[in-house]
């Protein structure tokens, strides 16, 4: 960037990845600031140079975030995320939440003018906001509200990191916490419940349930499977991709959730037998044919499948409140009960960290009861053991 004698530039610093904005005033003195986002650096530099031309106080001598709207800051942050390592479906969700729930209130507000009170008022309105703008659909779920709040907090947090704000106005205790829906049941499904769900969803999707319940595949991994990923002879499935949502109703094929998600899973014989039947009756020919498709054709969409297939199955089985993801919990528990090490569980479940693997090592009530019985036997007092108090008293 060049403006006469008052030259300026924005450059990326290789050692940190941050953006440095600098310019020289009429006396040749250099002024500079470093930002995490390129958009912030450009906005700061443009405002500084405009101030020099007009004779107004420079931002470096007043408030760093002055003149920057929340919307400009948010767009710069999202643009930086798009060039980073954020997964496409995560970025899509960020944009969706920002556009629908954050921008209408904050986009045009000066970044440094938003107060805690405004955030609290926005949060109160968000909790009762109708789904899709239709009151008949009920309010947004508490989980969605928590996700949106976390995004708003991230956006303001980035502004604080770039010294555009002195403090983050998102200070609502508990707002970022999602309900733990896994607590709907004390334990993950047992083997009989997995089999019951496999029967309840019908033959078109029974193999899907067994891949999740006995193999531990995530939803996106299951629906992303193709013929070329199945080896019936070895009894394995290769997980190399997953279905991701790109925004709105659009869906696409993407990489696994983490690098550890690329793995080969050895399957339970029941899952192999179900796949053998499924490949012969429901899958088109060719190595790239998807294993699980909608009845009308095309990729299976999570929301549609949940409403049409999964929720009726939970009613039929008598386990309303169960999630498809609970099947993955079941698979991890079965593997843990075999005595598999944490490292082996990480490899089977596609976990990148030990903490993630340990979180799925559920202790079942039956195992806990068995432990208590073994302890009772181990610590039992022999019937012939004398009462030491009586012996001491007689002395």
């Amino acid at each position: 960037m060049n403006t006469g004698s008052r030259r300026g530039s924005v450059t990326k610093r290789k050692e940190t990845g941050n953006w440095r904005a600098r310019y020289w005033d009429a006396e040749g003195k250099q002024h500079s600031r470093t930002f995490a986002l390129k958009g912030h650096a450009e906005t700061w530099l443009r405002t500084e140079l405009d101030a020099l031309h007009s004779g107004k106080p420079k931002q470096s001598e007043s408030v760093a975030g002055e003149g920057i709207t929340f919307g400009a800051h948010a767009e710069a942050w999202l643009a930086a995320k798009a060039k980073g390592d954020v997964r496409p479906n995560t970025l899509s969700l960020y944009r969706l939440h920002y556009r629908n729930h954050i921008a209408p209130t904050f986009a045009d507000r000066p970044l440094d003018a938003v107060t805690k009170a405004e955030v609290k008022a926005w949060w109160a309105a968000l909790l009762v906001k109708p789904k899709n703008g239709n009151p008949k659909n009920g309010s947004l779920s508490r989980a969605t509200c928590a996700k949106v709040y976390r995004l708003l907090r991230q956006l303001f947090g980035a502004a604080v990191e770039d010294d555009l704000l002195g403090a983050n106005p998102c200070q609502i205790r508990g707002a970022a916490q999602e309900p733990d829906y896994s607590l709907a049941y004390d334990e993950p499904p047992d083997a009989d419940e997995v089999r019951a769900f496999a029967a309840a969803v019908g033959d078109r999707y029974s193999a899907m349930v067994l891949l999740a319940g006995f193999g531990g595949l995530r939803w996106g991994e299951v629906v992303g499977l193709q013929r070329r990923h199945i080896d019936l002879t070895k009894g394995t499935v290769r997980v190399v991709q997953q279905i991701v949502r790109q925004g709105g109703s659009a869906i696409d094929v993407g990489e696994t959730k983490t690098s550890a998600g690329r793995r080969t899973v050895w399957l339970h014989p029941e899952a192999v037998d179900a796949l053998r039947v499924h490949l012969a009756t429901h899958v088109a020919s060719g190595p790239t044919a998807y294993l699980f498709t909608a009845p009308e054709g095309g990729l299976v969409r999570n929301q549609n499948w949940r409403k049409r297939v999964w929720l009726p199955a939970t009613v039929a089985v008598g386990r309303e409140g169960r999630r498809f993801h609970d099947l993955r919990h079941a698979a991890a528990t079965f593997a843990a009960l075999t005595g598999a090490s944490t490292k082996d569980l990480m490899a089977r479940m596609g976990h990148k960290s030990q903490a993630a693997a340990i979180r799925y090592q559920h202790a079942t009530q039956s195992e806990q009861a068995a432990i208590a019985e073994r302890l009772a036997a181990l610590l039992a007092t022999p019937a012939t053991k004398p009462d030491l108090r009586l012996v001491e008293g007689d002395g």
Side-chain angles (χ1 to χ4, degrees):
M1 186 178 295
N2 225 314
T3 56
S5 62
R6 298 185 178 95
R7 294 167 294 125
S9 65
V10 173
T11 56
K12 189 171 186 178
R13 309 186 72 174
K14 293 182 180 180
E15 63 274 18
T16 63
N18 291 332
W19 295 88
R20 184 188 186 190
R22 58 179 175 171
Y23 67 93
W24 293 261
D25 59 25
E27 289 74 37
K29 182 180 178 180
Q30 179 179 295
H31 304 265
S32 68
R33 279 178 61 88
T34 301
F35 299 85
L37 303 180
K38 183 180 181 181
H40 289 168
E42 291 175 337
T43 300
W44 178 85
L45 180 59
R46 183 169 54 251
T47 307
E48 289 284 295
L49 294 178
D50 289 346
L52 283 178
H53 281 299
S54 63
K56 296 178 181 178
K58 300 188 295 296
Q59 283 191 23
S60 54
E61 297 172 354
S62 55
V63 181
E66 185 179 351
I68 301 177
T69 65
F70 179 86
H73 161 69
E75 291 296 341
W77 186 86
L78 290 168
K81 290 295 181 183
K83 297 178 181 178
D85 58 356
V86 176
R87 296 167 62 221
N89 53 331
T90 300
L91 181 62
S92 174
L93 193 61
Y94 283 162
R95 293 191 180 280
L96 182 69
H97 287 334
Y98 173 71
R99 181 177 65 251
N100 291 343
H101 308 303
I102 296 176
T105 300
F106 296 111
D108 296 330
R109 296 279 291 133
L111 179 61
D112 58 346
V114 178
T115 65
K116 293 180 182 179
E118 287 180 273
V119 172
K120 288 181 178 179
W122 164 84
W123 172 247
L126 185 70
L127 290 172
V128 296
K129 187 175 182 178
K131 293 180 182 178
N132 302 320
N134 187 347
K136 294 182 179 179
N137 296 332
S139 301
L140 294 175
S141 70
R142 184 62 177 77
T144 297
C145 291
K147 289 182 174 70
V148 175
Y149 178 84
R150 288 202 301 272
L151 176 58
L152 183 68
R153 189 174 63 181
Q154 277 186 279
L155 288 166
F156 278 119
V160 173
E161 289 178 7
D162 271 357
D163 294 327
L164 302 177
L165 286 178
N168 193 323
C170 292
Q171 300 292 333
I172 305 174
R173 182 175 299 178
Q177 186 67 40
E178 293 185 46
D180 188 352
Y181 293 115
S182 64
L183 296 179
Y185 290 92
D186 292 334
E187 296 183 6
D190 59 21
D192 288 340
E193 189 176 333
V194 172
R195 295 184 180 105
F197 274 121
V201 297
D203 65 336
R204 188 181 189 88
Y205 299 114
S206 60
M208 178 191 290
V209 169
L210 295 178
L211 281 169
F214 291 154
L217 274 66
R218 301 175 176 91
W219 163 264
E221 295 170 346
V222 172
V223 295
L225 290 174
Q226 297 173 322
R227 269 189 179 272
R228 61 195 174 102
H229 301 141
I230 306 300
D231 188 330
L232 293 176
T233 301
K234 293 182 178 179
T236 62
V237 55
R238 289 189 303 117
V239 181
V240 298
Q241 65 186 29
Q242 68 174 356
I243 298 300
V244 296
R245 185 176 67 180
Q246 294 285 13
S249 60
I251 53 179
D252 202 355
V253 180
E255 297 180 352
T256 54
K257 186 176 182 180
T258 65
S259 57
R262 295 177 64 90
R263 64 199 188 278
T264 297
V265 179
W266 272 256
L267 299 172
H268 187 280
E270 287 182 50
V272 177
D273 291 342
L275 279 173
R276 183 174 286 107
V277 174
H278 183 81
L279 286 167
T281 56
H282 294 292
V283 185
S285 60
T288 60
Y290 284 97
L291 263 63
F292 304 104
T293 56
E296 62 273 16
L299 295 174
V300 178
R301 297 177 182 272
N302 192 314
Q303 292 300 318
N304 290 343
W305 190 85
R306 180 175 179 272
K307 292 178 181 179
R308 298 174 183 176
V309 180
W310 181 253
L311 291 182
T314 64
V315 174
V317 174
R319 303 296 277 177
E320 294 92 334
R322 278 290 193 207
R323 306 166 303 162
F324 183 85
H325 193 71
D326 290 336
L327 298 173
R328 176 169 161 83
H329 288 231
T333 302
F334 299 151
L337 291 176
T338 67
S341 67
T342 299
K343 184 177 180 180
D344 290 334
L345 285 174
M346 290 171 64
R348 182 171 180 81
M349 303 303 293
H351 288 139
K352 194 172 183 179
S353 68
Q354 289 188 2
I358 292 172
R359 189 165 59 244
Y360 286 103
Q361 294 182 40
H362 297 274
T364 65
Q365 295 293 337
S366 59
E367 283 297 303
Q368 290 299 304
I371 290 172
E373 289 177 4
R374 291 194 292 270
L375 281 173
L378 179 66
L379 304 177
T381 303
T384 58
K385 186 174 181 179
D387 189 326
L388 296 180
R389 292 174 298 174
L390 293 177
V391 173
E392 292 173 357
D394 291 342

